[in-house]
Amino acid sequence: MKVLVINCGSSSLKFQLIDSDTEDVLAKGLCERIGIDGSQLVYTPLGGKAANHDKITTVTPMKDHTVAVSLVIDALTDQDNGVIDSLKEIDAVGHRVVHGGEAFSTSVVIDEKVKDAIRDCSDLAPLHNPANLIGIDACEKLMPGVPQVAVFDTAFHQTMPEKAYLYGLPYEYYEKYRVRRYGFHGTSHSFVSARCAEILGKDIHDLKIIVAHLGNGASLSAVKNGECVDTSMGLTPLEGVIMGTRSGDIDPAIMQYIADKDNKTLNEVMDILNKKSGVLGLSGGFSSDFRDLEAGYNKGEANCIRAIETYCLRVAKYIGSYAASMNGVDAICFTAGVGENGPMVRRKICEYLEFLGVKLDSEANSKRGEEMIISTDDSKVKVLNVPTNEELAIARETVRLTRG
Ligand code: AMP
């Protein structure tokens, strides 16, 4: 089967065409600045007759997502640089949908009722869900009859028990407004924990795994016997560990305090917490990118040292708390941009965890981006580097639900 995986943002659309039989990526790309001046399609053919691996950038107007999807289809079927002969070769479309609320604990084939339910969750993800729906509508219009599947960022976390997902707030806010912890990056947490069990040659139902998805956005999850029992992101992706530009957990009273001191509105403070905080804020605005921070750290720059040290302690504290909530831990997996490529960050986090029996193999840990066990043979808790692959996970879900 050939599956088109779509990840729609409000002004962007990322895609991959995956051959599910070989799990090869045939082509991938990105439409940027949809609905804005200067929109462009960046397309990379990777398989078939056009397997030249060169990026092709086309600057062209895209007034909306329907135009963007039609340009993607044109690129995929282009005589010279396409990877399929016709649109008919696309057997199914898998969409990343950010928020499924409590309605979805697994992926689903999209119909009108599913779209209504995604719309109902828009309050919880106002930037993402409407964009995801626009992408779904655009694909339905241009590929009528091709099955479409929604894969939710929140679904994997729906197994969390009430005691893990409730906040210490008046219960009526949960009853009236569904204020609770939902968690995000679920596709990645699910993919990485399953892969961890495969690498260790163990049944996931016998394992306690902590996944540290450390990218620009970052979240951790506790996966016990194959089910998520806790996760660090909450009602929104702002809660939890310190991220690239997001604050993660803070004392909520800080919001009022800053608003009063700096004469700011709540929306302005929220903007600071989302876009100007995290390691970017801690480094005094230097960078949200760990490549820059690591370089600064190695030169002894105080702002970079401050950012990395504060970040690593926070992640370590989450891992410690998840070892407590699962009453043990067999494996810790690092994934996503920083987790997969950051030996310094992994080492610093693991130094806090020696009391659990974590022993890092410094040679294995020095590698970047490779799937491997990075703890020593005698480490009581296994530590792994597991590159995530959310697109492949979405393609697999799409095949599972649509293969006749
Ligand atoms: P993601 O959101 O998973 O794409 O992760 C993006 C982040 O990964 C970037 O902002 C960087 O901070 C980090 N990153 C990517 N490559 C490297 C690298 N080679 N070394 C350290 N950090 C990296």
Side-chain angles (χ1 to χ4, degrees):
M1 270 179 79
K2 292 193 178 90
V3 179
L4 181 61
V5 176
I6 300 267
N7 180 355
C8 258
S10 52
S11 65
S12 69
L13 184 155
K14 281 191 220 155
F15 66 93
Q16 282 194 5
L17 183 67
I18 296 178
D19 180 334
S20 68
D21 299 325
T22 57
E23 299 203 327
D24 286 338
V25 180
L26 301 176
K28 64 178 183 179
L30 167 68
C31 299
E32 291 173 295
R33 300 178 63 83
I34 300 168
I36 308 170
D37 280 351
S39 43
Q40 60 173 28
L41 164 69
V42 182
Y43 167 74
T44 311
L46 297 163
K49 59 182 192 250
N52 59 18
H53 294 240
D54 278 345
K55 267 188 194 168
I56 302 161
T57 302
T58 315
V59 179
T60 178
M62 292 180 212
K63 76 173 165 56
D64 56 31
H65 285 72
T66 307
V67 175
V69 174
S70 104
L71 288 166
V72 169
I73 293 169
D74 288 349
L76 293 171
T77 54
D78 183 76
Q79 252 197 335
D80 298 324
N81 295 308
V83 291
I84 50 174
D85 291 327
S86 93
L87 185 58
K88 289 198 188 107
E89 287 184 49
I90 299 176
D91 298 295
V93 183
H95 294 267
R96 176 194 180 211
V97 179
V98 166
H99 220 306
E102 290 186 322
F104 298 105
S105 55
T106 184
S107 313
V108 282
V109 176
I110 297 170
D111 59 17
E112 287 308 311
K113 268 195 186 151
V114 168
K115 287 204 289 185
D116 287 344
I118 295 172
R119 207 166 285 118
D120 286 346
C121 296
S122 288
D123 263 7
L124 295 166
L127 294 179
H128 293 99
N129 274 28
N132 300 152
L133 276 167
I134 290 171
I136 291 167
D137 283 338
C139 289
E140 280 180 350
K141 202 159 145 192
L142 295 165
M143 290 177 260
V146 176
Q148 317 239 1
V149 168
V151 181
F152 299 92
D153 267 27
T154 48
F156 181 62
H157 305 300
Q158 277 295 305
T159 48
M160 276 193 288
E162 183 186 66
K163 62 186 175 187
Y165 70 66
L166 282 182
Y167 292 111
L169 290 170
Y171 189 64
E172 65 185 270
Y173 292 128
Y174 172 64
E175 292 179 307
K176 280 200 290 195
Y177 307 129
R178 302 281 124 187
V179 173
R180 51 160 284 179
R181 176 175 292 114
Y182 290 95
F184 298 88
H185 299 134
T187 312
S188 175
H189 288 283
S190 163
F191 178 88
V192 169
S193 53
R195 189 72 201 121
C196 166
E198 282 170 14
I199 297 167
L200 296 178
K202 298 236 165 97
D203 186 340
I204 195 165
H205 299 103
D206 298 329
L207 286 172
K208 294 170 179 171
I209 301 170
I210 296 173
V211 178
H213 176 112
L214 308 178
N216 194 32
S219 69
L220 282 90
S221 68
V223 183
K224 189 176 181 183
N225 308 333
E227 290 194 339
C228 176
V229 294
D230 213 341
T231 195
S232 61
M233 282 180 167
L235 177 76
T236 75
L238 185 55
E239 192 184 348
V241 291
I242 292 165
M243 309 181 209
T245 64
R246 284 174 241 162
S247 64
D249 303 336
I250 59 163
D251 177 346
I254 292 171
M255 300 175 74
Q256 187 188 20
Y257 191 76
I258 292 177
D260 287 350
K261 288 276 179 201
D262 271 0
N263 199 20
K264 289 196 185 305
T265 63
L266 184 58
N267 279 343
E268 286 168 338
V269 177
M270 284 297 292
D271 202 55
I272 292 169
L273 298 185
N274 272 305
K275 298 187 186 146
K276 296 184 180 145
S277 300
V279 288
L280 174 70
L282 277 165
S283 65
F286 174 66
S287 180
S288 62
D289 193 309
F290 276 74
R291 284 163 286 203
D292 302 333
L293 295 168
E294 245 184 78
Y297 190 106
N298 289 330
K299 284 191 227 147
E301 287 167 15
N303 54 342
C304 299
I305 295 172
R306 180 171 63 232
I308 288 186
E309 294 294 349
T310 314
Y311 176 89
C312 292
L313 174 62
R314 177 75 61 86
V315 175
K317 288 203 289 192
Y318 260 97
I319 293 175
S321 71
Y322 287 169
S325 65
M326 291 194 289
N327 202 357
V329 52
D330 300 303
I332 298 166
C333 302
F334 288 100
T335 192
V338 183
E340 291 166 27
N341 299 297
M344 176 198 274
V345 165
R346 293 193 299 249
R347 173 174 56 77
K348 286 188 170 295
I349 293 167
C350 287
E351 277 169 5
Y352 289 106
L353 304 171
E354 285 168 7
F355 77 101
L356 287 172
V358 168
K359 282 195 209 165
L360 216 51
D361 176 333
S362 48
E363 158 122 37
N365 183 50
S366 66
K367 308 255 165 62
R368 292 177 194 260
E370 278 182 44
E371 181 182 273
M372 62 195 300
I373 298 173
I374 56 172
S375 50
T376 59
D377 289 346
D378 65 340
S379 181
K380 198 171 144 226
V381 178
K382 298 292 166 213
V383 184
L384 295 91
N385 196 16
V386 183
T388 193
N389 193 338
E390 286 162 280
E391 289 79 12
L392 178 58
I394 292 171
R396 284 179 182 168
E397 282 290 89
T398 305
V399 170
R400 181 176 72 77
L401 288 167
T402 57
R403 181 158 261 169

